[in-house]
Amino acid sequence: MSDDRSSLLQPSGGYRKLRAFTLAQLCYDITVRFVELYIPKNSRTTDQMVQAARSGVQNIAEGSCASATSSRTELKLTGVARASLEELRLDYEDFLRQHEAVQWTKDHPLYQECVKCKISTMEQFREFILWALSQNTDHGKCAAQAAIVANGALMLINITNYLLDKLLRKQAENFEQNGGFSERMMQVRLKKRRKE
């Protein structure tokens, strides 16, 4: 690739290396299983939760791939992913509230243990759920497993949102420093004209 082309196109498509993407995918997988087990099939909430989780994953990937030619699109789609996961977070909070389940605070022992586990795979999440079920912890009026899964999903969503907030700041800084595709195209054209 020539120097002009390499300065024109930004690196893109590395979303699979992002921890935010990995965790968003895990949140999606957990959500698909969660609605199968705990949300009535004819409820709109089922579709809403799955679509919000899916949107989080897909928009991270699409934004990453679009970054080669559009920092603006990258920022926008990363923001959409963040907003979708915020919607999903609210759905899990609603579930816990409506089922009179305890929502973990930072001082809750299961919250603290979940943080220590640094969960990043479905297998690790399942192991945590099984361990948490063996603890004699108050979950409110909700079934213990549903409350633990919802709280665990909330923690993963919160971590993912934190990582997406950091990614958005980094993308904004990159845009400020390097400009957008149109600006880079103009710079490449001007440089070529000067050479001629």
Side-chain angles (χ1 to χ4, degrees):
M1 184 182 292
S2 73
D3 288 342
D4 287 347
R5 277 192 68 197
S6 63
S7 63
L8 184 60
L9 299 175
Q10 296 291 308
S12 66
Y15 62 91
R16 290 187 188 274
K17 296 176 186 171
L18 295 173
R19 180 154 166 75
F21 176 79
T22 303
L23 289 179
Q25 230 177 9
L26 178 58
C27 291
Y28 173 64
D29 292 344
I30 291 167
T31 300
V32 168
R33 188 75 177 124
F34 182 85
V35 299
E36 285 175 2
L37 294 173
Y38 307 114
I39 306 289
K41 300 218 183 304
N42 60 349
S43 170
R44 279 200 59 204
T45 303
T46 295
D47 186 52
Q48 292 288 91
M49 288 181 75
V50 170
Q51 289 307 314
R54 183 182 181 278
S55 177
V57 176
Q58 299 302 100
N59 280 291
I60 293 170
E62 189 176 349
S64 176
C65 290
S67 68
T69 57
S70 179
S71 298
R72 182 178 177 183
T73 302
E74 177 187 33
L75 269 165
K76 178 183 174 189
L77 292 173
T78 304
V80 171
R82 173 64 174 84
S84 295
L85 291 173
E86 183 67 17
E87 178 185 342
L88 181 63
R89 185 174 73 84
L90 292 173
D91 284 329
Y92 277 109
E93 287 177 352
D94 290 345
F95 177 88
L96 290 170
R97 187 183 66 256
Q98 290 164 1
H99 291 84
E100 298 180 45
V102 173
Q103 184 174 335
W104 301 341
T105 57
K106 290 185 179 185
D107 60 344
H108 194 285
L110 294 180
Y111 179 100
Q112 293 173 358
E113 188 61 32
C114 192
V115 169
K116 287 181 196 170
C117 289
K118 296 184 180 179
I119 296 166
S120 59
T121 67
M122 186 60 92
E123 183 179 330
Q124 290 170 332
F125 188 74
R126 285 187 186 114
E127 286 173 11
F128 171 75
I129 300 302
L130 292 173
W131 175 84
L133 282 168
S134 72
Q135 306 304 299
N136 291 326
T137 308
D138 177 32
H139 300 288
K141 295 183 179 179
C142 186
Q145 186 169 331
I148 292 168
V149 172
N151 274 294
L154 272 172
M155 288 196 62
L156 291 170
I157 292 166
N158 288 337
I159 294 166
T160 307
N161 283 345
Y162 169 78
L163 294 171
L164 286 174
D165 288 342
K166 283 180 64 174
L167 184 60
L168 281 165
R169 285 191 295 275
K170 185 178 176 185
Q171 290 170 350
E173 287 171 15
N174 182 49
F175 181 74
E176 286 175 21
Q177 292 173 358
N178 301 315
F181 186 68
S182 298
E183 291 172 272
R184 291 193 306 274
M185 271 187 10
M186 181 60 76
Q187 290 170 1
V188 168
R189 284 186 195 143
L190 289 173
K191 186 177 177 183
K192 189 170 183 177
R193 285 181 191 158
R194 283 187 210 118
K195 285 182 182 176
E196 293 173 354

